[in-house]
């Protein structure tokens, strides 16, 4: 297959799927080695971004998906009459932050750090598909383990968990969930994750 043909085939698969597709599935479908498919994905993503098209190619760990460009989100919502998802509450962000940085982890661990029962909050995050069960801890009672999902990466504009802001150790006087504490995951005006250092630089 020619390079342009590979790019078009990748685009067709991602468009038809509508969901994240693992790169190994793309390689199998096209009967190509991973480097050739990765090059096609990069070229396709660069093409969308350079031409400022209404579509973006998003990477989520080893998966890729075609999505509408975020700057046209309001127009898409109006056209499709889709309600915007409710913003996460502070308790939900706290629980999600703990799971994101310490996954896989249990609800009991989240409760311990937050100091309150997180049953309702964890249920909310599960319903929003931001976290998922991923097994059980091999201790008496075998509590469930939780981790973040690909939807979490997409919602916070992350390619992988490595893109999370570095988590610094809080001092003895510092509350690890205090919104003013350094190294915590927070949302910017456009829904992106920002660190405290980035906030200071923009002020």
């Amino acid at each position: 297959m020619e390079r342009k043909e590979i790019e078009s085939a990748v685009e067709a698969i991602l468009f038809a799927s509508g969901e994240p597709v693992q790169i190994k599935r793309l390689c199998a479908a096209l009967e190509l080695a991973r480097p050739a498919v990765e090059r096609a994905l990069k070229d396709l993503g660069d093409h969308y971004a350079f031409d400022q098209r209404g579509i973006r190619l998003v990477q989520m760990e080893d998966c890729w998906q075609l999505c509408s460009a975020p700057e046209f989100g309001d127009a898409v919502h109006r056209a499709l009459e889709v309600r915007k998802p409710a913003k996460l509450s502070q308790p939900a962000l706290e629980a999600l932050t703990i799971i994101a940085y310490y996954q896989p982890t249990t609800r009991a661990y989240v409760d311990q750090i937050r100091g309150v029962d997180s049953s309702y909050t964890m249920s909310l995050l599960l319903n929003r598909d931001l976290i998922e069960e991923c097994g059980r801890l091999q201790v008496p009672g075998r509590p469930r383990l939780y981790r973040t999902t690909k939807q979490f990466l997409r919602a916070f504009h992350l390619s992988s968990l490595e893109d999370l802001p570095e988590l610094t150790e809080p001092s003895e006087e510092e509350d690890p969930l205090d919104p003013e504490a350094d190294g915590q995951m927070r949302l910017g005006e456009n829904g992106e994750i920002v660190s405290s250092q980035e906030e200071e630089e923009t002020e």
Side-chain angles (χ1 to χ4, degrees):
M1 296 176 70
E2 297 292 334
R3 186 167 178 175
K4 191 66 178 178
E5 186 180 2
I6 297 173
E7 185 178 321
S8 297
V10 167
E11 183 180 38
I13 294 171
L14 294 177
F15 177 80
S17 171
E19 297 290 336
V21 179
Q22 290 185 322
I23 190 169
K24 65 181 182 181
R25 293 191 63 185
L26 293 171
C27 294
L30 300 174
E31 299 180 339
L32 293 171
R34 184 172 181 134
V37 176
E38 288 180 334
R39 184 168 57 250
L41 287 165
K42 183 181 183 303
D43 290 345
L44 189 61
D46 290 345
H47 170 69
Y48 288 137
F50 181 79
D51 289 346
Q52 297 182 330
R53 304 297 297 270
I55 294 175
R56 294 289 184 272
L57 183 58
V58 179
Q59 180 183 7
M60 293 165 285
E61 295 182 334
D62 64 338
C63 295
W64 295 78
Q65 182 177 15
L66 288 177
C67 301
S68 58
E71 58 265 33
F72 302 119
D74 288 341
V76 172
H77 282 293
R78 289 194 299 269
L80 303 180
E81 297 182 353
V82 177
R83 293 181 59 189
K84 290 184 178 180
K87 293 183 178 180
L88 291 177
S89 64
Q90 185 61 33
L93 280 174
E94 290 176 358
L96 187 56
T97 299
I98 295 167
I99 295 169
Y101 281 102
Y102 297 103
Q103 61 185 304
T105 190
T106 64
R107 199 199 78 194
Y109 186 75
V110 176
D111 292 348
Q112 179 181 350
I113 293 181
R114 296 188 62 231
V116 296
D117 186 281
S118 302
S119 300
Y120 174 78
T121 301
M122 298 281 283
S123 176
L124 175 66
L125 295 175
L126 284 166
N127 289 336
R128 295 280 290 273
D129 195 29
L130 294 172
I131 64 172
E132 64 184 0
E133 294 184 18
C134 60
R136 291 179 179 269
L137 194 62
Q138 298 304 311
V139 297
R142 301 189 66 213
R144 291 182 174 86
L145 288 167
Y146 297 92
R147 65 186 177 193
T148 55
T149 63
K150 286 182 172 58
Q151 173 61 23
F152 164 81
L153 296 176
R154 180 168 52 188
F156 289 94
H157 310 296
L158 300 171
S159 296
S160 71
L161 294 174
E162 295 179 358
D163 293 338
L164 286 170
E166 183 177 354
L167 183 64
T168 58
E169 292 295 330
S171 64
E172 294 182 0
E173 297 81 12
E174 192 176 54
D175 182 351
L177 294 177
D178 185 342
E180 300 300 324
D182 288 341
Q184 296 300 308
M185 183 176 70
R186 311 196 220 352
L187 293 181
E189 293 181 356
N190 297 319
E192 75 280 10
I193 293 180
V194 296
S195 65
S196 57
Q197 181 179 356
E198 290 173 335
E199 288 180 334
E200 291 174 358
E201 291 175 350
T202 57
E203 290 179 354

